[in-house]
């Protein structure tokens, strides 16, 4: 895992077409802004995990 330090309004660039910007910092919460092409899906990790679980359950049900 790459760990970077950024301050408010500073950004990182991923693949040349995804920009992640620190929008706000309040205590232990950080708000991020993400600019990405429309074909790139962006989810919070907990949402992504639920989507994957649902997909796996659907796959398992269709195999029966």
């Amino acid at each position: 895992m790459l760990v970077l330090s950024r301050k408010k309004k500073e950004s990182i660039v991923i693949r040349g077409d995804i920009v992640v910007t620190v929008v706000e910092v309040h205590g232990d919460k950080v708000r991020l802004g993400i600019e990405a092409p429309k074909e790139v899906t962006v989810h919070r990790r907990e949402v992504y995990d639920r989507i994957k679980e649902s997909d796996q359950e659907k796959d398992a049900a269709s195999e029966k």
Side-chain angles (χ1 to χ4, degrees):
M1 174 188 300
L2 174 64
V3 178
L4 302 170
S5 296
R6 298 280 73 200
K7 295 179 182 177
K8 186 176 176 179
K9 297 185 181 177
E10 292 184 335
S11 303
I12 62 168
V13 178
I14 302 168
R15 285 188 350 185
D17 60 352
I18 301 170
V19 179
V20 180
T21 303
V22 177
V23 175
E24 192 173 32
V25 180
H26 279 289
D28 64 345
K29 287 196 175 190
V30 177
R31 293 186 71 204
L32 301 173
I34 302 169
E35 297 174 56
K38 289 183 181 183
E39 63 271 10
V40 175
T41 58
V42 178
H43 298 288
R44 294 187 325 255
R45 180 59 184 247
E46 62 274 15
V47 172
Y48 177 80
D49 290 344
R50 279 188 258 145
I51 292 168
K52 294 304 269 185
E53 285 176 22
S54 177
D55 289 348
Q56 290 172 349
E57 290 171 4
K58 289 177 188 174
D59 289 345
S62 68
E63 291 177 359
K64 292 181 180 182

